[in-house]
Amino acid sequence: MEAPIGLFDSGFGGLTVMKEIVKLLPNENLIYLGDTANLPYGNKSPETVIRCARANAAFLLERGIKLLIIPCHTACCHALEILKQELPIPIVGVIEPGLQLVHNFRRIAILGTTSTIESGLYQTQIRKQNSNVEIFAKACPLFVPLIEEGFHEHITAKLIAQHYLDELKGKIDAALLACTHYPLLRKVLDEELGANVALIEPAVGCAQIVKKILVEKNQLRIQKEKPHYQFFASDDPEKFRKFGKLFFGTVIEKVEKNKKL
Ligand code: DGL
């Protein structure tokens, strides 16, 4: 029960999911690893993403985690099923909660990194749950660097969103934000796609799945002492600490360097 939950992402984006875990499971000890040395995953080959995902998971397993969360959509598309077969602990990704939330829509846009969209995984899974659906898969590779430079509410964000999303206007009922970073663009995406298009984020659903598993396994931490949060980055910890606040919402006090990756 004292054992922490581990999360890994290519960098800072997964902190948007960690934020929801903190809200729903405020007693849990958490370890977050941002593989910033290999960021971004979104333009990497499946082989590279799988190699990084295995190394990240091994690093967290060595720290005795009881459950692994993979908030990174690109990593989930390429490595979630592989890691589920290889590791002895429960693993929760962001694909399943996203699929649950788009279930009732008929015209769905999937917005993600190039690697996520090219994997075709979301397209296949959505079609599996409803063959009657119209899917518009759109890679938006400029969104991640834009957000990481703090331009998510800048006019540039609006122009780039227009460039990617103009063709979807009037054609969709929902847009699945299949990238850790895109929740930060919510305002711009709302304006661009219109208020009648639902923007779907899997973070809360992911936290609910984690809670359900821990309840079922009787592994919830119920101690009253404050939980312990540990942050690791595979590149410049100070940069992670500074940028992390944008995604996590609160100040991150300390980030350690993971020298292994
Ligand atoms: N974490 C990635 C994802 O959700 C976005 C950032 C990256 O490309 O590494 O797909």
Side-chain angles (χ1 to χ4, degrees):
M1 292 192 200
E2 277 299 305
I5 296 172
L7 303 94
F8 78 75
D9 179 44
S10 54
F12 324 97
L15 292 166
T16 54
V17 173
M18 179 163 167
K19 197 162 81 179
E20 297 304 329
I21 301 289
V22 169
K23 270 192 219 156
L24 192 68
L25 296 164
N27 292 323
E28 294 300 323
N29 293 319
L30 304 171
I31 304 186
Y32 183 97
L33 167 61
D35 188 13
T36 43
N38 295 302
L39 179 77
Y41 286 179
N43 59 11
K44 302 280 191 317
S45 67
E47 295 71 32
T48 301
V49 176
I50 292 166
R51 182 168 43 75
C52 294
R54 279 196 172 116
N56 297 337
F59 175 84
L60 292 169
L61 270 178
E62 273 175 24
R63 273 147 192 86
I65 57 169
K66 61 184 171 188
L67 180 145
L68 173 65
I69 302 172
I70 308 180
C72 175
H73 293 257
T74 309
C76 281
C77 284
H78 298 305
L80 179 63
E81 288 311 312
I82 294 174
L83 291 180
K84 274 187 179 174
Q85 282 172 18
E86 292 177 352
L87 304 186
I89 54 167
I91 308 182
V92 180
V94 276
I95 295 174
E96 190 191 331
L99 292 177
Q100 285 171 1
L101 290 167
V102 295
H103 197 267
N104 292 325
F105 295 96
R106 217 187 51 77
R107 304 179 308 160
I108 304 161
I110 307 160
L111 311 180
T113 65
T114 305
S115 196
T116 290
I117 298 302
E118 283 181 355
S119 79
L121 191 99
Y122 273 108
Q123 295 90 312
T124 310
Q125 295 299 328
I126 291 173
R127 246 186 222 108
K128 249 192 213 164
Q129 63 181 19
N130 180 1
S131 57
N132 225 354
V133 81
E134 257 187 281
I135 297 176
F136 302 84
K138 187 78 192 162
C140 308
L142 287 172
F143 281 168
V144 166
L146 189 81
I147 294 163
E148 290 189 349
E149 290 300 326
F151 276 51
H152 48 289
E153 287 182 358
H154 191 264
I155 179 74
T156 332
K158 271 174 106 55
L159 294 173
I160 293 174
Q162 260 166 24
H163 170 75
Y164 286 138
L165 307 177
D166 225 25
E167 63 188 85
L168 303 178
K169 275 189 176 162
K171 294 188 187 156
I172 57 170
D173 312 309
L176 175 60
L177 308 189
C179 174
T180 44
H181 289 53
Y182 298 178
L184 273 86
L185 276 180
R186 201 165 232 289
K187 191 163 166 266
V188 169
L189 296 177
D190 245 340
E191 281 167 16
E192 180 57 21
L193 292 170
N196 52 346
V197 172
L199 299 180
I200 310 284
E201 290 177 33
V204 174
C206 174
Q208 285 164 347
I209 294 174
V210 171
K211 183 169 181 184
K212 188 165 173 274
I213 293 173
L214 293 182
V215 169
E216 277 167 12
K217 290 182 152 283
N218 206 14
Q219 280 188 343
L220 273 182
R221 179 176 182 267
I222 40 182
Q223 270 78 358
K224 287 280 179 291
E225 299 96 71
K226 262 180 85 182
H228 186 55
Y229 301 149
Q230 245 187 319
F231 297 89
F232 289 91
S234 54
D235 195 29
D236 189 353
E238 185 47 29
K239 185 173 175 201
F240 184 96
R241 211 184 60 74
K242 265 186 14 217
F243 278 92
K245 182 171 179 274
L246 178 66
F247 297 87
F248 195 42
T250 47
V251 173
I252 297 173
E253 301 289 347
K254 184 177 162 210
V255 180
E256 294 164 65
K257 175 96 189 267
N258 165 20
K259 296 189 185 72
K260 279 197 166 172
L261 299 177

